[in-house]
Amino acid sequence: MFIKNGNVFKYSRYILALTLTSTLVDSSLAVALANSENTIEEILVTGRKRDEQLRDVPLSVTAITEAQIERAGVNSIDSISMQTTNFQISNTQNPGSVFLNVRGVGQTRNSEAPIAVIVDGVPMTSPNQMNQEYFDIQQIEIFKGPQGTIWGRNASGGAINIVTRAPSNELEGKATIGIGNGPSYKATGSVGGAIVDDILLFRVAGSYENYDGILHGVTLNRDVDDYEDASARARLIYEGIENVKIDLRGSYGRLTGAGPYFVAMTDSDGRPLSGQENNFSYEIVEDELGRTKRTMWDLSAKIDVDIDAGTFTSISSYAKVKEFFNEDLDFTEASILGAEQDLHNRAFTQELRFTSNSDGPFRWLAGGSYLKSKRYLRTDILANLNNYLAYVGGSSLENLPEPPGSNAFLSPLSMSAANEHNEAFAFFVNASYDITDQITLETGLRYDQEDRKQINFVSGGISKARFDMLQPKATLSYKPNGDHMLYVSAGRGFRSGGFNQTSTFGLIFKPEKVTTYEAGWKGAFLDNVVSVEASLFYTDFKNKQEYILDASVAAQSIATFPKARVYGLELDMTVRVTDEVSVFGGVGLLDTAYKSQPEGFRPSDVGLPANFDFRGLQTALAAEWSYRFGIDLNKDIGNGWFAGGRLDINGWGDKAWEPGNQAMQAPVHLVNAQVTFGTDAFEVKVWAKNLFNERYYQEFASRTFSGLLTDFAFPSQLRRFGVTGTVRF
């Protein structure tokens, strides 16, 4: 399967890990563990619209419990990605620029994510919402592979189900304050309880962080990565009507901070460079500090009505996101280029479904959903025309007409602006039938239809398009006993096509269609002391969407590759060594390739030879391998006190920054650690992220695949560390 250049299974060294379990069973360690009374915590997941034990779910899923969330410091979308294999994320430029990639199914700039993110049953309708602070969380579940029949639109690569803490009759709360390098100051808090016992319950939570930054800009002589982030959430549950539950939820967030701070790769004389994707001896240089501001809020209402046969559910939501940023675009000390971007996005969603009860061998759900959204996006490229023409003509920075420090006026060089409207309908059904006590067949079907319209304010044109697809899925699982399960599945996923704001590479890009086949095994050994999951999968793409930049004409577009594919493997293991110590880890492998030449652009459009062949090249932003390893310690030291610690090691490598593979990211290895001391009511935590100060890039644009004057890079965060104190009541 992973055959390249005559090598049988390129990653054969990793297959050795598949024998670890059988070796463990016969080893002396196994004997010791078998005599232990320690067992791995049974985890209940709700992501498939009903309560299920994690080991009984016939697909690849990672569940992060509340205790694990706190001990691992999971509070953002990137920290979620570090808890599962074959899941990479890049946070870049502005808060809304976040690129998710699960098993090679990924998001690119200016596109919707093919991984659905859902909070308390409500889908995030804009990728600009995903990069935010997650707080007061009860559980996070990451499902891989097509999930449309359960989780809805844009779930062709998977789904992330985030469950916040629900209120109860008991009044309880938590407050945390902390300080870190930068310096940074952070506070979070939550409180919930009953207004009327068993009838009206409430919970409110909030988070605030002020961070001064640690990435220094040499020309501005200040840190350029500062931000201030404030978020709040409120929830009200009413159960005063028999068999009816009404769950109201609202949230608000506001983030302000420094704007993008890309690094322009030039030599000591300011001449452009290529091939700098793994050169980290950079300096952040810009003549003007950009600024970023994002506000977002949402409201939702979930109503459940229980009857003997099951539950009717209605989920209504409205969300709005506004984001603005400006930046220096040449990233030199001279005034040459700048940019501004303004985004307004609002969306209304409605879902209706019926879920049968869990009694009996036949279980099912069916329903429909509706989305109506509007997005306004304006991007301005600004220039000091005298300096721009001189620099493009070959003048050095020292010889520009208006030298550094002159604060020259930037005038419009180009602009793109458009309104995009989307009205989407979907119908879905999912059913499971226990053929025998050991064999279960699950089938699902989803139909999506999206009607899109773009009003281009620059050209004056109006474009319309309809995209639709029928998406079947089937899974067959076999449980020979309570400790093991085998499953096979096949499913299709769909991500709508859309519009580019310029016609350089085609005004309309096609929908991405994904077909995934998977075989997996879940096993528990030694009375649930050891848990193992393994899966093999193959994904076939039709019209794989990729981001293409042609800086020579200021065109940012999405183009498609008619054919692409992914072979993959995953192995995850958890060992409960004692009742105080757990060891866990996993490896993921991906073999990706384009199988056709692109549609929508020619290689020469981005600076490549006209006869350049993309076939066989690695797909963009999908790391060939990834791993995670960790140790979790929680020790009772007497008199109600405990001491704990956690170490998380993650890595990935061999990632192509763009379809032409002109820039390849070298392997990255990150270490997070924390030590905790306290009681049930109070604790102190010392933590560090990126402990060894690993340098890497979150985004990279090669001049040989962009038309840029030089390589550009967006640097990652450096080491962050601090101490927090938490009080519970």
Side-chain angles (χ1 to χ4, degrees):
M1 182 166 51
F2 289 83
I3 297 176
K4 279 189 178 181
N5 300 324
N7 296 321
V8 178
F9 203 56
K10 177 181 177 183
Y11 306 103
S12 58
R13 62 189 182 276
Y14 291 108
I15 286 299
L16 293 175
L18 287 171
T19 64
L20 180 57
T21 301
S22 59
T23 302
L24 180 62
V25 171
D26 295 327
S27 69
S28 58
L29 175 60
V31 175
L33 293 174
N35 294 326
S36 171
E37 296 182 355
N38 311 307
T39 59
I40 296 171
E41 176 188 4
E42 292 285 354
I43 299 176
L44 196 70
V45 297
T46 60
R48 302 202 311 157
K49 312 302 184 184
R50 60 178 80 246
D51 294 343
E52 299 173 288
Q53 293 291 340
L54 178 61
R55 67 171 60 181
D56 295 333
V57 180
L59 52 84
S60 180
V61 54
T62 299
I64 312 171
T65 65
E66 182 178 9
Q68 293 168 339
I69 289 168
E70 292 192 359
R71 292 202 287 265
V74 176
N75 60 0
S76 62
I77 194 74
D78 58 333
S79 58
I80 292 173
S81 72
M82 297 180 73
Q83 302 302 312
T84 187
T85 53
N86 281 331
F87 185 179
Q88 283 84 48
I89 184 171
S90 296
N91 290 317
T92 177
Q93 191 169 332
N94 52 300
S97 290
V98 54
F99 309 143
L100 307 182
N101 195 291
V102 176
R103 290 181 166 183
V105 182
Q107 174 190 7
T108 60
R109 184 181 293 278
N110 298 337
S111 75
E112 295 185 344
I115 295 92
V117 180
I118 300 96
V119 180
D120 294 332
V122 179
M124 290 189 179
T125 54
S126 169
N128 297 74
Q129 297 172 271
M130 294 179 183
N131 188 16
Q132 60 173 284
E133 180 78 12
Y134 295 114
F135 52 93
D136 200 34
I137 303 299
Q138 179 175 317
Q139 185 158 299
I140 300 170
E141 302 159 2
I142 303 105
F143 298 85
K144 300 176 185 176
Q147 303 296 326
T149 58
I150 299 290
W151 280 122
R153 66 187 298 272
N154 290 345
S156 57
I160 302 172
N161 180 38
I162 300 172
V163 182
T164 68
R165 282 185 58 83
S168 64
N169 279 324
E170 183 180 354
L171 180 65
E172 57 91 18
K174 181 174 72 172
T176 299
I177 59 172
I179 185 171
N181 62 324
S184 66
Y185 307 94
K186 186 174 182 178
T188 62
S190 60
V191 63
I195 300 174
V196 180
D197 283 352
D198 298 320
I199 294 178
L200 189 60
L201 311 177
F202 80 97
R203 190 170 187 90
V204 294
S207 172
Y208 174 80
E209 183 174 10
N210 193 314
Y211 171 59
D212 282 355
I214 55 177
L215 293 175
H216 190 68
V218 295
T219 50
L220 299 176
N221 193 29
R222 59 154 292 168
D223 292 332
V224 298
D225 58 327
D226 63 284
Y227 62 83
E228 183 179 28
D229 186 13
S231 302
R233 182 174 64 245
R235 192 171 178 184
L236 193 66
I237 295 178
Y238 177 71
E239 297 183 275
I241 303 173
E242 186 177 3
N243 297 326
V244 176
K245 180 179 179 180
I246 301 174
D247 189 344
L248 305 177
R249 181 181 176 276
S251 69
Y252 173 81
R254 183 178 186 272
L255 184 146
T256 58
Y261 40 87
F262 278 89
V263 176
M265 301 297 191
T266 59
D267 63 18
S268 57
D269 295 323
R271 291 188 293 263
L273 293 174
S274 300
Q276 302 300 300
E277 62 267 28
N278 298 305
N279 173 18
F280 305 113
S281 58
Y282 57 77
E283 289 185 331
I284 298 176
V285 177
E286 50 189 347
D287 63 280
E288 181 182 0
L289 180 69
R291 301 303 296 173
T292 293
K293 180 179 180 180
R294 180 188 65 183
T295 58
M296 55 188 183
W297 59 268
D298 66 81
L299 298 170
S300 66
K302 179 182 178 184
I303 302 173
D304 292 315
V305 180
D306 293 328
I307 61 174
D308 291 341
T311 303
F312 287 102
T313 299
S314 168
I315 303 176
S316 309
S317 74
Y318 181 80
K320 190 172 183 179
V321 182
K322 294 176 64 177
E323 184 175 287
F324 173 84
F325 71 84
N326 65 285
E327 63 179 328
D328 181 9
L329 200 58
D330 56 86
F331 300 103
T332 69
E333 66 269 25
S335 178
I336 303 174
L337 287 172
E340 292 182 351
Q341 188 171 93
D342 192 18
L343 168 82
H344 298 254
N345 192 95
R346 63 176 183 260
F348 168 78
T349 66
Q350 175 65 53
E351 180 179 334
L352 297 172
R353 69 169 181 264
F354 181 81
T355 306
S356 71
N357 60 42
S358 298
D359 299 331
F362 183 59
R363 302 167 299 280
W364 58 278
L365 67 84
S369 63
Y370 173 75
L371 164 75
K372 187 177 182 65
S373 67
K374 179 180 178 181
R375 185 186 78 160
Y376 168 77
L377 180 65
R378 174 183 62 84
T379 304
D380 293 339
I381 305 299
L382 311 173
N384 176 328
L385 295 179
N386 291 333
N387 282 354
Y388 175 73
L389 294 173
Y391 187 68
V392 172
S395 293
S396 64
L397 297 178
E398 293 80 5
N399 294 325
L400 293 179
E402 300 181 47
S406 61
N407 294 320
F409 175 73
L410 298 180
S411 57
L413 182 66
S414 68
M415 182 185 78
S416 61
N419 269 340
E420 293 192 10
H421 301 259
N422 184 20
E423 191 169 24
F425 303 87
F427 303 96
F428 54 87
V429 61
N430 199 84
S432 298
Y433 180 69
D434 296 330
I435 300 173
T436 71
D437 290 342
Q438 297 175 317
I439 300 174
T440 299
L441 175 65
E442 181 175 344
T443 59
L445 188 66
R446 178 182 178 86
Y447 174 74
D448 275 289
Q449 176 183 300
E450 301 204 7
D451 293 305
R452 292 179 175 260
K453 180 174 73 172
Q454 183 195 72
I455 303 172
N456 193 308
F457 296 123
V458 176
S459 67
I462 298 177
S463 303
K464 297 181 180 180
R466 171 173 289 182
F467 306 98
D468 63 348
M469 183 177 172
L470 194 66
Q471 303 147 70
K473 184 177 181 179
T475 303
L476 184 67
S477 60
Y478 169 61
K479 292 192 66 175
N481 54 54
D483 291 333
H484 298 275
M485 180 175 66
L486 299 169
Y487 66 88
V488 293
S489 69
R492 302 195 72 184
F494 164 79
R495 175 165 49 159
S496 173
F499 304 101
N500 292 312
Q501 289 200 347
T502 67
S503 58
T504 304
F505 300 136
L507 185 61
I508 298 177
F509 57 89
K510 295 180 179 180
E512 181 179 273
K513 301 177 181 180
V514 173
T515 304
T516 297
Y517 306 91
E518 181 174 350
W521 162 60
K522 296 185 177 186
F525 299 90
L526 309 175
D527 292 330
N528 203 28
V529 172
V530 179
S531 174
V532 182
E533 294 189 24
S535 61
L536 294 167
F537 53 90
Y538 170 77
T539 297
D540 183 77
F541 289 91
K542 183 177 181 181
N543 301 322
K544 181 169 175 49
Q545 297 174 4
E546 298 288 14
Y547 169 76
I548 306 298
L549 170 65
D550 184 356
S552 64
V553 293
Q556 301 182 68
S557 300
I558 294 174
T560 58
F561 285 76
K563 295 182 180 180
R565 57 96 178 133
V566 177
Y567 291 108
L569 176 151
E570 291 169 355
L571 173 68
D572 291 278
M573 176 180 289
T574 300
V575 180
R576 182 79 171 186
V577 180
T578 72
D579 61 351
E580 299 172 340
V581 180
S582 294
V583 178
F584 52 88
V587 294
L589 308 174
L590 295 177
D591 188 336
T592 69
Y594 298 107
K595 297 169 62 178
S596 66
Q597 294 292 91
E599 289 184 346
F601 76 98
R602 299 164 300 179
S604 57
D605 293 334
V606 291
L608 296 174
N611 61 349
F612 187 85
D613 192 352
F614 288 88
R615 290 170 296 185
L617 295 183
Q618 184 176 331
T619 62
L621 302 181
E624 280 194 332
W625 53 264
S626 63
Y627 72 90
R628 64 185 185 95
F629 173 78
I631 301 174
D632 194 306
L633 168 68
N634 194 47
K635 181 176 179 57
D636 184 354
I637 58 177
N639 297 321
W641 290 82
F642 71 89
R646 182 168 172 122
L647 180 72
D648 285 273
I649 305 173
N650 298 266
W652 68 88
D654 302 322
K655 182 169 72 175
W657 284 115
E658 29 68 27
N661 291 195
Q662 299 298 293
M664 302 290 292
Q665 184 182 53
V668 175
H669 307 277
L670 301 175
V671 178
N672 296 343
Q674 61 184 39
V675 176
T676 308
F677 177 76
T679 69
D680 289 342
F682 168 77
E683 70 178 43
V684 175
K685 181 185 302 179
V686 179
W687 58 269
K689 294 186 177 182
N690 191 6
L691 180 63
F692 296 105
N693 213 32
E694 177 92 342
R695 289 175 178 257
Y696 60 102
Y697 292 128
Q698 294 267 31
E699 186 177 16
F700 189 88
S702 169
R703 67 183 298 222
T704 56
F705 193 88
S706 64
L708 290 165
L709 298 177
T710 189
D711 284 355
F712 278 81
F714 187 78
S716 67
Q717 271 290 316
L718 301 179
R719 177 171 49 235
R720 298 284 303 273
F721 56 88
V723 59
T724 62
T726 299
V727 176
R728 297 181 178 87
F729 60 89

